[in-house]
Amino acid sequence: SHTRPLIPKSSYYFGPPPSDSAYGTPPMGQIGVHHPREILRVERDYTGGELIQFAPIYPLELEGRITPTQFLESVNAINEQLIAAHSLHHAFVDNMITVFSLQLSKLFRKTHYEREMQRLQDLIDDLNAGLYNPVGLNIRWPRDVAFLYLEIEYYVSVHIIFCVLE
């Protein structure tokens, strides 16, 4: 008798989801008020070396919520923003300005990386508001887990949660 926790945690993929998972149920519940029923993890793509990118492989758990094309476009937009943030040219210029101003430039201007991270936060907020939240999904801020993976929260009706637990 396996009991599932009320507050899920993302984990590495070990095979198909268990029979009592919430995947495939209709999107309901309120994002930010209720706990998600499942948390899906999109792993990093290490084919580009140490550059931070997420794998654009469509998770089957999202079937019925968003299309593979929508997921691919979302991940590609996030990856493009991460690539822009880690520009060597901009990092060199920012470091030179910081050194020559004796660290005082940090009081008056943001670095290129900080500006790009703000753009990434805005992009994720826009993706959530326009595409993911209306279908009961929510992309979490990947900086909270040091960009090791991208978490997508999967919400369902509170009624369904209590039926599964009984």
Side-chain angles (χ1 to χ4, degrees):
S1 68
H2 180 269
T3 59
R4 296 175 54 82
L6 286 176
I7 302 173
K9 297 194 182 326
S10 69
S11 62
Y12 290 105
Y13 181 79
F14 291 113
S19 60
D20 63 342
S21 73
Y23 298 121
T25 57
M28 297 178 121
Q30 194 168 359
I31 296 171
V33 175
H34 301 106
H35 293 295
R37 179 66 176 113
E38 304 282 351
I39 299 179
L40 177 70
R41 187 181 282 189
V42 177
E43 297 298 328
R44 286 252 314 256
D45 181 8
Y46 291 98
T47 58
E50 293 184 19
L51 184 63
I52 298 173
Q53 293 183 39
F54 298 108
I57 300 167
Y58 179 71
L60 293 178
E61 291 85 358
L62 297 180
E63 197 169 291
R65 300 277 180 117
I66 61 171
T67 66
T69 304
Q70 290 170 322
F71 176 77
L72 180 64
E73 289 173 353
S74 301
V75 171
N76 284 343
I78 291 170
N79 286 343
E80 287 174 13
Q81 202 65 46
L82 288 169
I83 290 168
H86 291 89
S87 165
L88 290 178
H89 172 71
H90 287 98
F92 177 77
V93 170
D94 285 339
N95 285 333
M96 293 305 292
I97 291 171
T98 302
V99 167
F100 288 127
S101 69
L102 301 173
Q103 305 286 332
L104 292 175
S105 65
K106 290 188 176 196
L107 298 173
F108 305 106
R109 68 185 288 274
K110 290 183 177 181
T111 64
H112 173 74
Y113 179 80
E114 292 169 332
R115 290 189 304 268
E116 292 299 320
M117 284 295 111
Q118 183 59 50
R119 286 189 188 115
L120 177 61
Q121 179 71 53
D122 294 341
L123 172 67
I124 290 175
D125 290 343
D126 290 345
L127 286 171
N128 279 332
L131 177 64
Y132 286 84
N133 289 354
V135 294
L137 300 171
N138 186 53
I139 300 175
R140 296 187 64 199
W141 179 227
R143 187 180 244 172
D144 293 342
V145 290
F147 294 99
L148 294 175
Y149 44 83
L150 186 66
E151 290 182 319
I152 301 176
E153 297 174 326
Y154 197 95
Y155 287 86
V156 297
S157 169
V158 175
H159 178 269
I160 293 173
I161 292 172
F162 290 123
C163 290
V164 169
L165 292 175
E166 290 179 352

